[in-house]
Amino acid sequence: MKKLVLAVLATAVLVGCKTSPTGRTQIALYSDSQMSEMGTASFAQMKESQPINTNVKTNAYVNCIADKVIAVLPDEYANQQWEVVVFEDDSANAFALPGGYIGVHTGLLKIATNQDQLATVLGHEVGHVIAEHSNERVSQSSLISTGLQLGSVALEMGDVQYRNEIMQGLGLGAQYGVILPFSRSHESEADTIGLDLMAEAGFNPQESVTLWQNMSAAGSGSTPEFLSTHPAPSNRISSLESQMSKAIQEQSTARANGKNPQCTL
């Protein structure tokens, strides 16, 4: 049984291997249609359970920026229908889901104070989608769950002393050794993709640094990075600054090609 399960896991990993937009090897076991179904169901539930902002000017502003970012996505994403909803929520947050869905919390508009800063966030969130990070996380969760179940069975069959304590330790090891660092790698990758997207759309990439300075000043990222799913703001800023020269060149090219966003609130 143990060999059979290991063989199944190995086959699943081999079949699900893909390459992210930045060249990172990833495991994505679910189809695009399955992920879109999950995204559609999640977004519908959010719209039912959370208040939606109906201010015409606010929605026009957010949609203007989202449209500019979506226009520079790879064709398979740029050509699909996207739904953008502004939620009444004080948290400085936004998200994007497989299937073509973007949510923006009104609290974010107090931190992202201009079109370029909001484009930073939307580029980042859409970056998660085109890099299939949701697929990776669901796939990873499935594999870890199966591995822990296998370990529990093996310990029980071997009548190992303190097996409950060992399994608890394995669970913590998976959380802090795999899941959280993996999430930080997703966030860093989405930062890179988002920086490229906003620059290609004609937004000022230097404002991405200002955004994270605003986030830091507002208290975001106060959790120690070791226990966080997100890199510390200072680390994000350093990474963005290291990529800034290329992003500025991309923006210059975009502006020369007539991409000059003028989204105002």
Side-chain angles (χ1 to χ4, degrees):
M1 176 62 71
K2 180 178 178 181
K3 290 182 179 179
L4 176 61
V5 174
L6 287 173
V8 171
L9 287 174
T11 301
V13 169
L14 289 173
V15 171
C17 277
K18 291 187 176 183
T19 302
S20 76
T22 63
R24 180 177 57 82
T25 300
Q26 55 187 169
I27 298 172
L29 303 178
Y30 296 86
S31 67
D32 291 343
S33 62
Q34 287 175 309
M35 295 308 302
S36 293
E37 288 175 6
M38 293 181 198
T40 298
S42 296
F43 203 67
Q45 192 276 330
M46 290 177 188
K47 289 194 295 182
E48 289 181 0
S49 62
Q50 299 181 29
I52 295 175
N53 178 278
T54 57
N55 183 282
V56 174
K57 191 173 182 179
T58 298
N59 278 267
Y61 172 67
V62 172
N63 273 274
C64 176
I65 298 169
D67 287 345
K68 303 298 184 186
V69 173
I70 291 168
V72 298
L73 296 178
D75 288 345
E76 63 181 294
Y77 297 102
N79 294 333
Q80 72 180 118
Q81 187 68 40
W82 286 79
E83 181 179 358
V84 182
V85 174
V86 180
F87 292 96
E88 285 289 349
D89 192 306
D90 289 336
S91 63
N93 197 21
F95 60 89
L97 299 175
Y101 304 98
I102 294 174
V104 175
H105 292 184
T106 50
L108 178 61
L109 303 180
K110 299 175 183 178
I111 303 295
T113 58
N114 57 40
Q115 63 168 5
D116 305 294
Q117 292 175 27
L118 186 55
T120 299
V121 180
L122 297 190
H124 169 97
E125 297 302 332
V126 173
H128 281 304
V129 173
I130 67 175
E132 298 191 60
H133 289 162
S134 295
N135 197 332
E136 256 188 297
R137 292 304 305 278
V138 175
S139 300
Q140 180 194 51
S141 179
S142 296
L143 290 172
I144 288 176
S145 176
T146 301
L148 289 176
Q149 289 174 10
L150 175 62
S152 179
V153 170
L155 289 171
E156 188 168 345
M157 290 177 64
D159 194 25
V160 177
Q161 191 176 16
Y162 306 122
R163 58 177 174 269
N164 289 336
E165 289 81 358
I166 291 173
M167 287 309 300
Q168 290 175 3
L170 286 173
L172 288 174
Q175 177 75 2
Y176 296 120
V178 180
I179 296 175
L180 293 185
F182 205 71
S183 296
R184 290 195 291 272
S185 75
H186 281 179
E187 292 299 322
S188 296
E189 186 170 58
D191 280 348
T192 295
I193 296 170
L195 186 67
D196 287 339
L197 290 175
M198 68 176 297
E200 289 172 12
F203 293 101
N204 180 5
Q206 292 173 301
E207 285 294 314
S208 63
V209 171
T210 306
L211 169 77
W212 284 108
Q213 290 171 339
N214 293 350
M215 285 284 195
S216 182
S220 296
S222 57
T223 302
E225 185 169 356
F226 174 68
L227 299 178
S228 172
T229 59
H230 292 62
S234 59
N235 290 344
R236 301 185 95 144
I237 290 171
S238 296
S239 178
L240 290 168
E241 288 177 334
S242 71
Q243 304 171 66
M244 195 57 62
S245 178
K246 174 177 176 287
I248 290 173
Q249 290 178 356
E250 290 173 341
Q251 184 210 18
S252 178
T253 299
R255 290 288 178 90
N257 290 329
K259 295 176 182 176
N260 186 19
Q262 299 292 326
C263 304
T264 58
L265 182 60

